[in-house]
Amino acid sequence: MPPSFRRSGFVAPLHALRLLERGLLGCGLPDARRAVDEALVLAGDAAWCMRCGVPLAHAPCMPVVMRVGQGPRCAACEARPRFDAFIRLGSYRAPLDGLVRRAKEHAWHAALAQLGWRLGDEVHHRLQLTRDGVVVVPIPTSPWRRLRRGTDHANELALGVAARLQLPHVRALHMGGFARQAGLGRRERLLRAGRMVLRARAAARMKGCGVLLVDDIRTTGATLDEARRLLEGAGAAWVAPSVACVAEIA
Ligand SMILES: [Zn+2]
């Protein structure tokens, strides 16, 4: 079972209010472990591209354990691999989509911890990793969204992944305001992509590291790309997104 995770100070009062609200309305959330188990049994995809996460129709079966950079690829990634590796729990469809939405919109901490733990399991079973030089980094959420939802969902998933794999968890990225690129110095440009900012102190830790980049959903992958660029710019050896689910874009 995943341990219970510490929450940041300003989120806890909101969480307490939500618990009270659920108690008063008598609509408690179901058992997280069972809900996640059921969603993942039904999510079971056969195979996906190990470089971008899209489902593959023609891979007969997924190799059990792969090194970073190995594994089946989609046609687009055959020409130009998008990431060094890609781990996922399933496609963004019922019942996994509803579970992930519910977990983040209702600040369902137990389900986020459980999903993170299971994502760590998937990384463990798919990727041959040494524990040295690998860190877990969450995709950042804006302060406004964090406050509104009462949770930093990607961070809670990342804590579950880090706990399962016994790896360091580093909040290396945060969402800053937009800044005019023209007004930035070279160093600041290296630390910023759109609204996403790589913390200067964390950037120094990324040199030579492998990074498991954690988020709940991959839609176009643009956010993961921005994070990858920043982390590679800081000298990360490889970047492997690890997400709960992948939306299938027609
Ligand atoms: Zn691909």
Side-chain angles (χ1 to χ4, degrees), residues 49 51-52 54 74 77:
C49 170
R51 298 304 194 93
C52 74
V54 300
C74 67
C77 290

Side-chain angles (χ1 to χ4, degrees), residues 22 76-77 79 87 107 126 142 167 212-213:
R22 282 202 290 271
C77 290
I87 301 296
R126 297 288 182 194
S142 73
L167 291 173
L212 294 169
L213 189 58

